[in-house]
Amino acid sequence: MKIVEKPSPNFNPGRRGYQPEAIVIHIMEGTLPGTDNWFGNTQSKVSAHYGIGLDGAVHRYVQEKDTAWHAGRIDKPSWKLIKRTSGNLLVNPNYYTIGIEHEGNANSDWTDAMYQGSAELFAAISSRWNIKLDRDHIVGHHEIYSVKTCPGFKVDISKLIDLAVNPTSGTKTSYRKVMTNGQAITTVSLNIRSLPGTSLPPLRSVAPGVLLSYVGYTDEGETVHGNSTWYLDSSNHWFWSGGVKHLQPS
């Protein structure tokens, strides 16, 4: 992995006796060059350890052994591993996390290159610090500071984790397009997934009786109750064909 050094003056040397135990995902609300400039400005009083560009480029602002200023404010945290002192005071998460910014804004679609670059960095950080690659140790900024929506509405954190654990999972599943968009109605509570299988947590669930459209299908998905056919919707998400009743032929 090629890392471009963009040192920020906004950090504390060391970690006050702590070490990295988790990774916090951020969205830049801007561009990679703009973030380089902002983190390089002492007046901004903010930084992160890394930034990932839309093209997968990786910039390093603060060394991992030092404390970046990316998640020091806490408001109604939902993260269950947030630390407290023996006196029940909250410990500044900056001391025990690594912050990674990503180019774009809350409503930006994440590129494949950004997913791949971020996941590769996750894997390297995990190896260096023995950080588990799971949803307890890879968290969105909003899980610490609820006032923010960071890292936005489009990122699939489960996909990031899966790519970090299994880099080959980023290979797109081949599928056959249908001549016209197919339509089906759910017959059970059906999970929508990022891959045609159940290895990752679902993106969302759909109640019975909901109309779904699909643009393609694969017969090589995970076999569930003897059925390996999965349908692909226009958002590149998958649902199992055994949970729907067809309204139009493919």
Side-chain angles (χ1 to χ4, degrees), residues 184-191 206-212 239-247:
I185 191 165
T186 55
T187 57
V188 296
S189 181
L190 187 65
N191 291 323
V206 177
V210 174
L211 181 67
L212 298 177
F239 58 92
W240 180 55
S241 68
V244 298
K245 177 181 179 181
H246 300 279
L247 298 184

Side-chain angles (χ1 to χ4, degrees), residues 62-100:
V62 176
Q63 297 296 317
E64 293 173 11
K65 64 182 177 62
D66 294 322
T67 303
W69 302 344
H70 66 101
R73 292 183 293 177
I74 303 173
D75 180 85
K76 300 176 183 176
S78 58
W79 181 30
K80 69 180 183 180
L81 297 185
I82 200 158
K83 288 185 176 295
R84 295 180 181 270
T85 67
S86 57
N88 204 37
L89 297 176
L90 289 164
V91 176
N92 186 335
N94 286 339
Y95 296 142
Y96 57 95
T97 63
I98 289 176
I100 303 178

Side-chain angles (χ1 to χ4, degrees), residues 104-169:
N105 59 54
N107 291 297
S108 297
D109 290 319
W110 283 43
T111 65
D112 289 339
M114 191 156 69
Y115 271 112
Q116 293 287 350
S118 189
E120 186 177 351
L121 182 58
F122 283 10
I125 292 170
S126 169
S127 178
R128 282 192 286 271
W129 297 100
N130 195 29
I131 296 173
K132 292 182 179 180
L133 291 170
D134 60 26
R135 203 52 188 83
D136 290 334
H137 297 83
I138 310 293
V139 300
H141 187 196
H142 72 276
E143 295 174 64
I144 295 171
Y145 189 58
S146 66
V147 175
K148 291 230 177 202
T149 58
C150 181
F153 307 109
K154 295 300 185 74
V155 59
D156 184 344
I157 297 180
S158 294
K159 177 180 176 179
L160 275 172
I161 293 171
D162 184 61
L163 285 171
V165 173
N166 178 20
T168 61
S169 68

